Amino acid sequence: MCKFCDVRLRSPADVGGGSLPQLGRSSATQPLPAGLGQPGRKTLIKGGAVLSMDPTVGNYTIGDVLIEGAKIRAVGPHLDSADAAVIDASGMIVMPGFIDTHHHQFETALRSLLSDAILVNDGRPESTANYYEWMLQKFSVLYRPEDVYISELFGSIAQIDAGVTTVMDVSQIHHSPEHSDSAIAALRDAGRRAVFGYFEGWGDLAKYPGDARRIRAEHFSSDDQLLTMVMGGEIYLPFHEEAWATGRELGLPIALHVVGTFGMQPTFDGLAMAGKFGPDNIFIHMTGMSDMAWQRAADAGAHISLSVPIEMQMRHGEPPLQKALDLGLQPSLSTDVECTMTADMFTQMRSTITLQRMIANEKALRGEDYPKLLSAMDVIRFATIEGARGLKLEHKTGSLTPGKDADIILLDATALNVAPLNHVPGAVVTLMERSNVSTVLCAGQVKKWQGSLIGHDIAKLRRELEASRNYLFEKAGVEQDLFRQ
């Protein structure tokens, strides 16, 4: 028997990026319930450890989630399944899908290219290949619409594989309306919930920020869809006032990078003192900003998106996690750039809890007053419901709440790296990784089923991604050296 004939012999790549069957659960795959996600179709996810992320719903050692069409109808123990198809969730943790509030998906073709890079060249030999000069000036300007499409699509599918059911795409790749439309098409074709961030591009054909009106009218006229829109409002651009005004004219949240490394503090302070901040602002990173601006952001109800591993790796500055918490701000987590770091939320959660506890524990060891230690449940909250709130999607996703869309993941707690299950939040944060993501539903539609992605020819898409990568390297004049120092 060839390896393609028996699922037990396939590699994860052969089955579309999923994991092999885990010891502890039967290797026999349950059939996919017919019509799951269709209007009127009921499906019961039965017998899992339910982590709802909604205190009014509660958590259940053994519980069920009833879905009808795209919606969650009930959560609790021993739900009636008489007229529903049943998904056996025994041995699984059932929880809301992860939410990534800042991901430059156009960089998927350039994964790991800048693993050792910092943001800006500091003159040292090891910083020659830095993010600003290589990614923003050398590679990004070369993208064609087809390069945008394949990176956006492949990156989206890869995150579905890792249990990320919602993303805000922050790709600064809008060199023309065609580039923008390609990004939107890819986000739609991936089939998960996504927030399209309309940020800047480069070249004579770039129409930012004015093309936001066309994009809003053509692609986002309805709020009852998986895709929504955010306006990019980068304050390093000379026309950021126009972008902010356009976003508010169109009723869109306004997102921007706020990074001390790039000397943004004076401009940010000016906006703070002028009273320009609002609850529609999403501030990404927030490193190196003044206490005054932080207080104004908190008073305005702005949202903070942190990318802790990237901020530590690329010299953004110390992630201001404790600063946000001290001001009563509950941040979300985001993966940022795959040219430097993986785009899964397990990495984000572990990095976040470890950083905060390291700083607090050092204070404790010195005999100083120290802040409350973050818990596993805290960082899961950052990775789910706080992300939904930041993206203004808490009415649709972020928790297993009746009436919300069924954005649900099933995590295998019988796997070798987790069993035996002793603490649900702890297992998710301190033990799990993407191979534990067994099944993923986005608005009731199955996108990953028992370790295998659904609906995409991964081998074909991988070839297209590699072809795009080859084109970009050639045009940039960069040698494809797999062991570049």
Side-chain angles (χ1 to χ4, degrees):
M1 179 180 291
C2 74
K3 70 173 184 175
F4 297 103
C5 301
D6 189 338
V7 70
R8 294 169 297 177
L9 303 178
R10 298 184 200 174
S11 71
D14 296 325
V15 295
S19 59
L20 290 169
Q22 299 286 351
L23 294 181
R25 287 186 62 84
S26 170
S27 62
T29 301
Q30 302 174 44
L32 181 65
L36 180 58
Q38 298 302 311
R41 181 68 161 112
K42 290 184 179 180
T43 301
L44 188 69
I45 302 174
K46 187 172 183 61
V50 177
L51 179 61
S52 75
M53 302 311 298
D54 183 339
T56 66
V57 171
N59 303 316
Y60 299 91
T61 301
I62 300 176
D64 307 334
V65 180
L66 180 64
I67 302 167
E68 183 177 357
K71 300 291 184 181
I72 298 170
R73 292 306 181 198
V75 180
H78 312 301
L79 297 181
D80 180 20
S81 61
D83 59 345
V86 176
I87 296 175
D88 178 13
S90 58
M92 296 284 174
I93 295 170
V94 183
M95 64 175 288
F98 297 121
I99 297 175
D100 179 353
T101 56
H102 157 230
H103 184 190
H104 299 252
Q105 291 195 167
F106 83 95
E107 297 176 13
T108 305
L110 302 174
R111 282 171 165 169
S112 77
L113 173 65
L114 297 174
S115 297
D116 299 325
I118 59 174
L119 278 174
V120 181
N121 195 340
D122 63 0
R124 293 191 176 191
E126 64 267 27
S127 300
T128 300
N130 59 83
Y131 186 83
Y132 179 72
E133 292 176 354
W134 273 49
M135 184 57 66
L136 298 184
Q137 295 188 322
K138 187 188 293 286
F139 279 99
S140 71
V141 296
L142 302 173
Y143 272 69
R144 305 162 296 178
E146 56 263 42
D147 300 311
V148 174
Y149 179 85
I150 187 58
S151 273
E152 292 274 6
L153 178 59
F154 204 91
S156 292
I157 295 169
Q159 279 206 308
I160 291 172
D161 186 59
V164 182
T165 55
T166 301
V167 71
M168 179 169 76
D169 177 46
V170 186
S171 294
Q172 298 139 315
I173 200 66
H174 299 280
H175 307 329
S176 72
E178 290 73 26
H179 286 75
S180 301
D181 291 346
S182 289
I184 295 166
L187 294 173
R188 182 178 295 116
D189 289 349
R192 67 166 171 167
R193 197 174 307 280
V195 178
F196 166 75
Y198 183 46
F199 284 72
E200 72 273 18
W202 312 104
D204 294 339
L205 298 179
K207 303 298 183 184
Y208 172 90
D211 199 37
R213 296 179 181 86
R214 176 194 68 86
I215 292 170
R216 180 81 159 92
E218 288 187 9
H219 298 290
F220 301 99
S221 58
S222 170
D223 293 328
D224 188 23
Q225 57 184 31
L226 283 176
L227 300 191
T228 54
M229 183 177 175
V230 156
M231 187 72 190
E234 302 288 21
I235 59 175
Y236 54 71
L237 297 174
F239 44 86
H240 65 265
E241 296 94 341
E242 180 186 352
W244 283 48
T246 301
R248 285 176 170 157
E249 169 198 329
L250 297 175
L252 301 173
I254 300 165
L256 55 147
H257 296 83
V258 185
V259 186
T261 310
F262 286 108
M264 296 180 188
Q265 182 178 328
T267 304
F268 198 67
D269 278 352
L271 290 168
M273 290 185 288
K276 297 296 186 181
F277 297 166
D280 57 352
N281 280 129
I282 302 169
F283 296 142
I284 300 165
H285 301 308
M286 276 290 280
T287 56
M289 296 301 112
S290 69
D291 289 344
M292 179 277 296
W294 266 101
Q295 188 62 60
R296 296 291 179 92
D299 292 344
H303 181 73
I304 309 299
S305 171
L306 299 179
S307 307
V308 172
I310 290 292
E311 288 153 6
M312 295 190 292
Q313 176 87 349
M314 297 182 70
R315 201 178 294 174
H316 291 66
E318 182 179 308
L321 171 61
Q322 195 61 53
K323 182 76 170 179
L325 295 174
D326 289 345
L327 288 170
L329 294 167
Q330 295 295 303
S332 62
L333 303 181
S334 60
T335 61
D336 204 349
V337 291
E338 280 195 281
C339 66
T340 302
M341 192 76 69
T342 181
D344 73 88
M345 297 304 285
F346 300 103
T347 297
Q348 302 303 316
M349 292 187 292
R350 265 196 288 278
S351 297
T352 300
I353 195 171
T354 303
L355 171 71
Q356 193 270 349
R357 293 175 73 100
M358 178 197 74
I359 294 172
N361 288 336
E362 274 298 305
K363 288 179 178 291
L365 290 170
R366 293 195 298 266
E368 300 172 6
D369 187 32
Y370 60 93
K372 179 182 181 294
L373 298 177
L374 281 183
S375 68
M377 188 69 89
D378 288 329
V379 292
I380 294 174
R381 191 178 72 253
F382 299 163
T384 54
I385 187 60
E386 299 302 344
R389 291 187 179 116
L391 299 178
K392 314 304 179 191
L393 293 173
E394 69 271 28
H395 61 297
K396 285 183 172 289
T397 190
S399 64
L400 303 185
T401 302
K404 289 190 179 184
D405 285 0
D407 293 353
I408 302 172
I409 57 177
L410 277 62
L411 306 178
D412 187 357
T414 71
L416 282 169
N417 62 323
V418 179
L421 180 63
N422 295 308
H423 185 249
V424 168
V428 173
V429 173
T430 68
L431 298 178
M432 287 188 168
E433 32 92 358
R434 69 188 306 134
S435 70
N436 296 106
V437 180
S438 174
T439 295
V440 178
L441 291 81
C442 298
Q445 299 289 330
V446 175
K447 300 300 175 181
K448 184 178 183 181
W449 178 249
Q450 297 183 353
S452 296
L453 289 166
I454 302 294
H456 298 283
D457 186 340
I458 302 301
K460 175 178 178 292
L461 294 177
R462 186 188 299 114
R463 290 192 297 271
E464 294 174 3
L465 185 69
E466 290 168 347
S468 175
R469 182 270 318 271
N470 294 343
Y471 168 84
L472 293 169
F473 270 79
E474 179 183 356
K475 291 297 182 181
V478 175
E479 179 186 1
Q480 293 189 44
D481 180 0
L482 295 182
F483 299 95
R484 176 175 53 83
Q485 295 295 314

